[in-house]
Amino acid sequence: MRDLGVDQLYVDRASGKNANRPELRKMLAYVRQGDTVIVESISRFARNTRDLLNLVEQLTTKQVEFFPKRKPSTPPPPRENLC
C-alpha cells in the first residue's frame, strides 16, 4: 500500500463479516473530504452488499473516494449477446 502513496494504514485482523471492527471504525472517523480509501478487495472490506453500500455511503457523504485494489470478476455475458 505504501507504493500507492498511502499516508495512514489501517489493518483489521478480525473477519470482515460485520462493520463493527476497530480499525474500520478508526478509519471512518479519520477520513476527510478529498481522501481516498484503498482496500485490498471488496470482499475483505464488506462481506455483503448491504454493508458495502452502507460503508461506501458513509465515505461518499464525507466526499471520500473508495478504491478496491482487486475488483470482483464479472461473469461473461450470455452467449446470445456476444458479437
Side-chain angles (χ1 to χ4, degrees):
M1 289 287 192
R2 297 283 181 211
D3 60 322
L4 295 172
V6 172
D7 292 330
Q8 195 71 13
L9 186 64
Y10 297 91
V11 178
D12 267 317
R13 301 286 181 216
S15 167
K17 70 179 182 177
N18 66 52
N20 190 21
R21 301 187 314 266
E23 291 296 299
L24 176 62
R25 293 284 139 222
K26 287 179 191 175
M27 182 273 298
L28 289 171
Y30 176 84
V31 294
R32 303 286 183 260
Q33 178 181 352
D35 286 348
T36 300
V37 171
I38 303 169
V39 298
E40 277 296 323
S41 70
I42 289 174
S43 66
R44 301 305 302 156
F45 186 61
R47 287 297 185 186
N48 62 59
T49 304
R50 178 167 292 157
D51 283 345
L52 176 63
L53 292 173
N54 287 337
L55 290 167
V56 171
E57 182 178 2
Q58 288 178 57
L59 296 172
T60 302
T61 298
K62 291 182 160 193
Q63 297 179 355
V64 172
E65 296 287 328
F66 174 72
F67 179 79
K69 282 179 69 175
R70 280 186 284 159
K71 296 179 175 76
S73 60
T74 57
R79 293 197 63 65
E80 61 270 8
N81 291 339
L82 295 176
C83 297

